[in-house]
Every structure is written in C-alpha cells, then in structure tokens.
Amino acid sequence: MVRFFRWLLFPFSILYALVVRFRNWAYDSGLFKSTSFNLPVVVIGNLSVGGTGKSPMTEYVLQLMKPYLKVAVLSRGYGRKTVGFRYVETDDTAKLVGDEPLQIKRKFPDSMVTVCEDRVWAIHNIQDEVDAVLLDDAYQHRKLKPRFSILLLDYESMQHPILPLPTGNFREPLRGSKRADVVVITKCPDELPVSIKSTLSERLRKYTSAPIFYTKIHYQQLQRVDGSLLENKTGMDRIALVVTGIAKPQPLLDYLQPQFKEIIHLAYRDHHSFSPTDLQKISQTFADIDTSEKIIITTEKDMQRLPPSFVEKHPLYFLPIEQVFLYDQAPAFDRIVKRAFAC
C-alpha cells in the first residue's frame, strides 16, 4: 500500500528531479555561489536517503588521517533538538548534538567533532584550529566547494531503478556522481562476483570517470557500553530482543538470526528519539520473554540515544560495525585519500 501511494506521487518526483537538475546547473555554471577554503575539505555523502554507511566511512577516513593531521569532523547533527554551531563533547546527549556525531566523538575523543546546519560558516569558525575538515552527509551542500568528494552508493539500491523522491529514495539521479572524486559501493555481499562488479562499474561509467571501490560491512563482537563482551555459549539457547532506529535494519537481522534461538524485533524510524513510552514498551517486551537466557541488542548508533539509566538496568549489548574493502582495494583507496588531505 505504501509503495502504491508513492507511485501516485510520481509527478512530484519528476518536478523534484527538474528542480535538483536546475540547482546543480546553477552551482556548476557559477550562477549560485560556492565557497572554497585553503585547508583540505573532504566531503562524504550519498545520492539516496540514509543507509549507505556514512558513519563507518567517516570513522575509517578519520582513523586513517589522525596520525598525520588534526582533522575536524563537521556534521549537520541530524535528529538533534538544538540549532546552530556546537562543539561535540563525550558527555553530550544525542538530543544536543545528534547520534552520529556523538558516536564519532566517543570513539575518537581526542578529535574535534562539531555540528552546524551552515557548513560554510562552521568551517570559517574552526579553520584556524585544525589542519583539515571532514564532512559527513554534505554531498548536496553545494554552497560548499570541497577539495575532495567521496560518494557512497549502497549495493542494494543499485539493484533497482534509481527513482527520485518522493516515489524513490534518491535525492538526485546517478548523473550526480560526476561530482565525485571516488565512488564507493557499500554493503556489498561478502562474496561479490566479478561479473556483478563489472556490471555495476559499467553502469556508473556512463556518468563518472572516478575510481570505483567496493566494501562490505564487518560486524564486530557484541559488547556492553563498558566494553565487556557477550559471553559465548554453546547452542542457540538465547532469545534476543533487537531494537533498531536505523534506515535499513534487515542486514543486521540477517546477521543475528543464525546466532540465536529467536529474534524479536522492535523497529523504529531512523534517528528515532526514544520516548519514556518507547522505553517502557522495550522493557515490557523484554520482561514478557519467558526465559532467563535473553538479552537486548541494538546498534552502536541507537546506543547513543538510549538514556544511561535504561542501559544500566538491562542486559543491553550493541554491535559495532566497520567497513572492509573487497578485492584488496584498501591500499589504493588509502593512497587516494591521503593525497586529498595533503596540504
């Protein structure tokens, strides 16, 4: 029913696509102004709405460059209840700064992480404090002219027609990939056949000559907020209540399913702010599971939005993820990114 309703909105998708095309032309032609900076400014983004793995890529690039430069991460801070410019601190809440910036700050406490809707103004504000700026989800922020752009396209979305909002999930069509300096196909299957890789590359080559890389998600060990790992048990004797507030939870569920006797899933929208009613529902659902062998599992991003009081009184574990390059492409990607940050 939802899909049918979205197809009814297809005329609006055509209008949306025309507006996006005019906007990009206006920036490309100089009719609209873009601001550039003397220090390296690297943008990570996508063409679709959510679920492409921007956070793992941001963390990967930050980890790569930390030994060489003082890199600031700048985010819009999607989902926060505040406005304007803020430095992110480890003891902030997701309501103040957004879940993804908070996650990055807690993993990289020595790095500057900031949030601001106006990315150009924010860079003006911090440029004297750092050597470079790394922006997540800013591919469509055309007021900023970055030195280097990393475009992410998730594997699943590339298996279907690319349709603009509101019928589809794309902010702009594939022709938008021409602005990218590298393209990364994310969330690929563990074993991606060369034939499919070639088909995807040929499809993108109609629009971009940028190097194309392929990555998959690697799930790490389940752990608590204090870093303790889940005790391994023989046999599938546990039931897991999985709580997600992310765009595409199915890959996580597919990964967890074989490891547990039963999976119970409570799904919320991406960046969902958990209310007292939500927390009560989660607690009651967990209490109603008729076994002592049970845990609650969430994502690392969702963990940032759960209050410490809730975390402390439940056997709550989160599942960190990292990005892994296929076809031994990591060294080539690393070299390109290091050149992009060279002052």
Side-chain angles (χ1 to χ4, degrees):
M1 178 61 71
V2 173
R3 191 63 185 164
F4 174 74
F5 179 73
R6 294 184 75 173
W7 273 108
L8 292 179
L9 298 174
F10 187 68
F12 295 97
S13 291
I14 296 174
L15 178 62
Y16 175 88
L18 291 173
V19 171
V20 169
R21 188 165 185 175
F22 171 77
R23 178 177 182 269
N24 283 327
W25 171 83
Y27 276 108
D28 293 339
S29 65
L31 182 64
F32 292 170
K33 179 185 176 183
S34 287
T35 301
S36 59
F37 292 87
N38 292 327
L39 79 169
V41 174
V42 174
V43 161
I44 296 171
N46 52 18
L47 299 181
S48 62
V49 178
T52 58
K54 293 185 298 295
S55 292
M57 175 59 78
T58 301
E59 292 172 3
Y60 182 96
V61 173
L62 181 57
Q63 183 67 48
L64 177 68
M65 298 309 304
K66 253 174 59 60
Y68 310 104
L69 297 171
K70 185 177 181 181
V71 179
V73 175
L74 171 58
S75 174
R76 179 174 180 263
Y78 187 83
R80 66 187 175 124
K81 306 303 181 184
T82 59
V83 295
F85 177 85
R86 291 183 67 97
Y87 290 99
V88 180
E89 305 296 342
T90 55
D91 59 354
D92 278 335
T93 65
K95 288 185 178 181
L96 286 175
V97 297
D99 49 16
E100 291 167 342
L102 184 57
Q103 174 181 315
I104 293 170
K105 181 62 179 180
R106 288 174 173 173
K107 294 179 82 168
F108 300 91
D110 295 333
S111 294
M112 181 189 295
V113 180
T114 60
V115 292
C116 190
E117 299 86 352
D118 187 338
R119 265 59 72 92
V120 171
W121 186 92
I123 295 174
H124 276 300
N125 193 49
I126 65 174
Q127 62 181 339
D128 293 335
E129 303 177 61
V130 295
D131 301 315
V133 180
L134 175 63
L135 295 94
D136 74 330
D137 201 15
Y139 195 74
Q140 282 78 33
H141 199 75
R142 299 298 307 273
K143 291 181 179 179
L144 170 69
K145 186 175 183 180
R147 174 181 295 190
F148 193 84
S149 293
I150 301 172
L151 175 63
L152 309 183
L153 296 166
D154 72 285
Y155 174 84
E156 180 62 27
S157 70
M158 294 293 290
Q159 309 307 306
H160 306 285
I162 305 299
L163 296 172
L165 294 165
T167 300
N169 293 320
F170 276 74
R171 299 167 175 171
E172 56 180 311
L174 278 182
R175 71 173 67 251
S177 61
K178 69 180 182 180
R179 303 196 305 276
D181 295 289
V182 297
V183 177
V184 182
I185 309 297
T186 64
K187 300 186 177 182
C188 294
D190 288 349
E191 302 295 332
L192 180 65
V194 175
S195 59
I196 296 180
K197 172 178 175 286
S198 299
T199 299
L200 291 173
S201 296
E202 289 173 9
R203 186 180 183 186
L204 285 168
R205 282 288 168 252
K206 298 175 184 177
Y207 308 102
T208 179
S209 59
I212 302 172
F213 296 87
Y214 296 83
T215 67
K216 66 177 182 179
I217 290 296
H218 172 68
Y219 293 99
Q220 300 177 356
Q221 288 183 271
L222 285 163
Q223 60 182 265
R224 300 206 67 173
V225 71
D226 63 3
S228 58
L229 303 178
L230 178 64
E231 175 190 357
N232 289 325
K233 283 181 172 281
T234 58
M236 291 170 45
D237 49 3
R238 282 197 186 102
I239 295 177
L241 173 61
V242 180
V243 179
T244 62
I246 57 176
K248 298 176 181 178
Q250 193 57 49
L252 170 65
L253 299 175
D254 292 341
Y255 172 77
L256 292 172
Q257 191 73 53
Q259 304 176 44
F260 293 90
K261 180 180 179 180
E262 183 182 352
I263 294 288
I264 300 170
H265 184 210
L266 291 179
Y268 297 89
R269 61 178 177 80
D270 197 16
H271 300 283
H272 179 72
S273 180
F274 294 103
S275 68
T277 302
D278 297 327
L279 298 176
Q280 177 59 37
K281 179 180 179 180
I282 296 168
S283 293
Q284 189 60 55
T285 303
F286 183 69
D288 290 344
I289 299 174
D290 190 19
T291 179
S292 61
E293 296 294 338
K294 56 185 178 179
I295 62 172
I296 302 177
I297 298 174
T298 192
T299 68
E300 190 171 15
K301 186 171 79 169
D302 290 315
M303 181 66 86
Q304 315 305 319
R305 285 179 270 111
L306 291 169
S309 58
F310 179 86
V311 173
E312 290 168 3
K313 67 180 183 181
H314 293 87
L316 181 61
Y317 292 80
F318 69 92
L319 190 62
I321 61 175
E322 64 179 343
Q323 184 171 243
V324 175
F325 283 85
L326 301 176
Y327 303 107
D328 296 318
Q329 289 184 315
F333 180 84
D334 292 356
R335 286 194 297 270
I336 291 173
V337 170
K338 287 179 180 178
R339 286 199 299 268
F341 276 96
C343 295

